[in-house]
Amino acid sequence: MDRGRFITVEGIEGVGKSSNIDILVECIESAGYEVLTTREPGGTPMAENIRNLLMNHGDEPIPEIAELLLMFAARSLNVNNVILPALQAGKWVICDRFSDSSRAYQGGGRGLPMNVIDHLADWVHGDVKPDVTILLDAPVEIGMARVSHRGEPDRIESEKLEFFERVRECYLNLAVREPERFVVIDTARSLKDVRADVARLAQQLISDSSH
């Protein structure tokens, strides 16, 4: 059986990852492929527990290195227990965030060394790498304005705008460095235009897979 395709969706808060993942799933399933969606941190019961530790406002501060290691602990669970088995079964996997989030948030945002993050990525998921990464991009002010309507911000959403500027800049730099893997979609535009771009990309991926 052919290995399934592995698609990751990245971006700062408020860029519309959830709604655009729904469009991807709809397009790919309509072409006859089985699709599994997952998210990070999370994706398995234990990884979701780690997510709660990372996202909730707790009494105990989380050091930056602990945040990074918890992210990769959750990722190890998701890769080994969910993502890899699905890919091996021929399913397409769409993951809401993956190691590029660690590069952008803990590397770009927190300032942790990128070579350490890359080493952890190689160690934790080795050959399990995205076939394509969709970077949904919008200016920080637009993204955070959208997030403000969701209710109480979580621990990471509560960071200052400067933090998210660094995260966004890092994402865009990653996309420049790996143009063969990244597809950048401007989500500051109308929902109709963004959805059309996502649907076109899904059709391109389906076409590439059928050859």
Side-chain angles (χ1 to χ4, degrees):
M1 180 177 289
D2 290 339
R3 178 185 179 274
R5 301 295 300 278
F6 183 27
I7 302 167
T8 56
V9 181
E10 298 281 357
I12 62 167
E13 277 65 19
V15 292
K17 286 188 286 91
S18 298
S19 59
N20 285 298
I21 285 171
D22 288 344
I23 295 164
L24 278 173
V25 172
E26 185 180 329
C27 291
I28 296 165
E29 285 183 339
S30 68
Y33 295 98
E34 192 172 351
V35 182
L36 179 141
T37 59
T38 186
R39 69 173 182 175
E40 296 206 346
T44 81
M46 197 180 298
E48 290 290 335
N49 288 337
I50 296 173
R51 181 188 181 89
N52 290 335
L53 291 174
L54 285 162
M55 299 303 177
N56 293 340
H57 297 275
D59 296 331
E60 183 178 0
I62 301 178
E64 290 165 354
I65 191 68
E67 180 180 89
L68 177 67
L69 292 171
L70 284 168
M71 290 288 185
F72 272 100
R75 184 161 298 129
S76 176
L77 291 162
N78 197 25
V79 166
N80 287 286
N81 298 340
V82 174
I83 295 172
L84 189 54
L87 291 173
Q88 289 172 338
K91 298 176 185 176
W92 287 42
V93 175
I94 301 174
C95 191
D96 181 344
R97 300 195 181 285
F98 198 58
S99 285
D100 293 309
S101 277
S102 294
R103 294 180 177 102
Y105 281 78
Q106 283 74 53
R110 305 286 190 216
L112 292 176
M114 201 63 74
N115 65 321
V116 172
I117 299 170
D118 288 340
H119 180 70
L120 280 169
D122 287 340
W123 191 34
V124 166
H125 56 84
D127 293 337
V128 182
K129 294 175 181 171
D131 295 300
V132 63
T133 297
I134 302 169
L135 175 57
L136 301 175
D137 180 60
V140 171
E141 294 80 4
I142 290 176
M144 298 315 291
R146 292 170 179 168
V147 170
S148 67
H149 301 304
R150 293 181 190 167
E152 193 66 29
D154 64 31
R155 189 181 67 87
I156 291 178
E157 288 171 350
S158 301
E159 290 290 341
K160 294 181 170 62
L161 286 181
E162 294 80 10
F163 172 83
F164 294 106
E165 293 286 3
R166 294 193 299 274
V167 172
R168 183 189 180 210
E169 182 182 13
C170 185
Y171 267 135
L172 292 171
N173 287 338
L174 289 170
V176 168
R177 284 214 300 273
E178 290 190 65
E180 71 287 349
R181 175 165 69 90
F182 275 87
V183 177
V184 182
I185 294 178
D186 176 9
T187 63
R189 299 169 302 149
S190 73
L191 196 57
K192 180 182 176 184
D193 287 345
V194 173
R195 285 181 170 173
D197 276 359
V198 172
R200 270 194 297 272
L201 174 58
Q203 293 304 327
Q204 182 63 53
L205 293 171
I206 292 161
S207 175
D208 290 347
S209 288
S210 61
H211 292 157

